[in-house]
Amino acid sequence: MSNDPKVIDITVLAQQLNAIAQTGLTYAKDVFDRERYETLQQMAVELIGSRFDINAETWNHVSEVGYATPKTDVRAFILREGKVLMVREADDGLWSLPGGWADVGDSPSIAVSREVKEETGFSVKVTKLLGVWDRNLNGHPPYPWHVYKHIFLCEEIGGSLALSHESTDIGFFDINELPELSLTRIVPEQIKVSMKIATSERPAWFD
């Protein structure tokens, strides 16, 4: 994404248009207003479709209703002898911090602990929030949805290695010798900043 404020990012524009339309459809009472918001939403879908292989039927299936807010992704930062735990993702063969989408009804700590258990077999407890990252602002490849990524410091408390269908390998890595990252999920800067905060009294990073 360009840092030039004059450059319009089509993905971000489509996210914003869809959010306006979704929220408008939630609260609009007038039939003509609803038609306008439906048209606006269709425009957003067409913009998204120009960047990603997503058609209107697929978009409508995964879209939410109600007041539009960013989606929530949770990631675990687990250290062992100064090295960070990473998993190889089954879908792209690249590496990331354990984690995924937070489920409705879960607290953030429960969500990230569950993801770690499912992907690695390890039981953990959350000890510190390391950062909240706006996916649009931090070097990830374009993505249809606006996402806030929450990275938590976690401590191993039990369990044993048990890979799932989502991960094909696991390992602890020196942050200066990271494997090839799944950039749609995690970028090097997030790992480096998380390490600094995890090993100091610095406050959580945000934005």
Side-chain angles (χ1 to χ4, degrees):
M1 182 183 300
S2 173
N3 292 322
D4 186 345
K6 297 179 181 179
V7 176
I8 299 175
D9 186 284
I10 296 300
T11 301
V12 175
L13 177 62
Q15 291 170 352
Q16 294 171 339
L17 288 175
N18 186 67
I20 292 169
Q22 179 179 314
T23 302
L25 286 169
T26 299
Y27 295 109
K29 304 299 183 183
D30 183 84
V31 63
F32 298 108
D33 283 343
R34 291 192 62 83
E35 289 178 353
R36 295 184 185 99
Y37 285 123
E38 287 169 354
T39 299
L40 185 63
Q41 191 167 55
Q42 182 58 38
M43 293 170 62
V45 171
E46 291 175 1
L47 282 172
I48 287 291
S50 72
R51 303 275 332 249
F52 305 94
D53 186 20
I54 299 177
N55 57 32
E57 182 179 353
T58 301
W59 179 267
N60 291 333
H61 175 70
V62 299
S63 288
E64 301 171 339
V65 295
Y67 192 91
T69 61
K71 296 175 74 66
T72 302
D73 176 62
V74 293
R75 297 284 157 181
F77 198 82
I78 303 166
L79 293 172
R80 183 187 289 180
E81 297 179 352
K83 296 183 178 181
V84 62
L85 176 68
M86 306 198 74
V87 296
R88 187 194 293 270
E89 301 289 344
D91 64 350
D92 62 11
L94 304 176
W95 293 79
S96 178
L97 298 178
W101 297 123
D103 287 345
V104 173
D106 281 350
S107 68
S109 62
I110 289 176
V112 73
S113 298
R114 185 197 65 250
E115 287 291 327
V116 172
K117 185 68 174 179
E118 291 177 353
E119 292 188 0
T120 71
F122 296 132
S123 298
V124 299
K125 68 175 182 180
V126 176
T127 60
K128 184 178 182 180
L129 173 65
L130 299 179
V132 180
W133 300 76
D134 183 337
R135 192 187 186 284
N136 284 349
L137 302 179
N138 290 286
H140 295 275
Y143 194 65
W145 294 276
H146 189 193
V147 179
Y148 286 171
K149 304 180 73 67
H150 298 67
I151 301 179
F152 295 92
L153 181 63
C154 297
E155 177 185 332
E156 292 180 72
I157 58 174
S160 58
L161 177 61
L163 296 178
S164 72
H165 66 281
E166 297 179 353
S167 53
T168 62
D169 200 0
I170 184 173
F172 285 86
F173 295 89
D174 187 298
I175 65 165
N176 295 313
E177 299 177 353
L178 293 174
E180 187 175 3
L181 299 181
S182 179
L183 297 179
T184 190
R185 296 176 173 88
I186 200 75
V187 295
E189 184 68 11
Q190 291 164 342
I191 295 176
K192 293 176 182 177
V193 170
S194 295
M195 175 63 86
K196 291 178 181 178
I197 296 173
T199 55
S200 71
E201 297 300 319
R202 300 183 187 187
W205 193 98
F206 58 89
D207 286 357

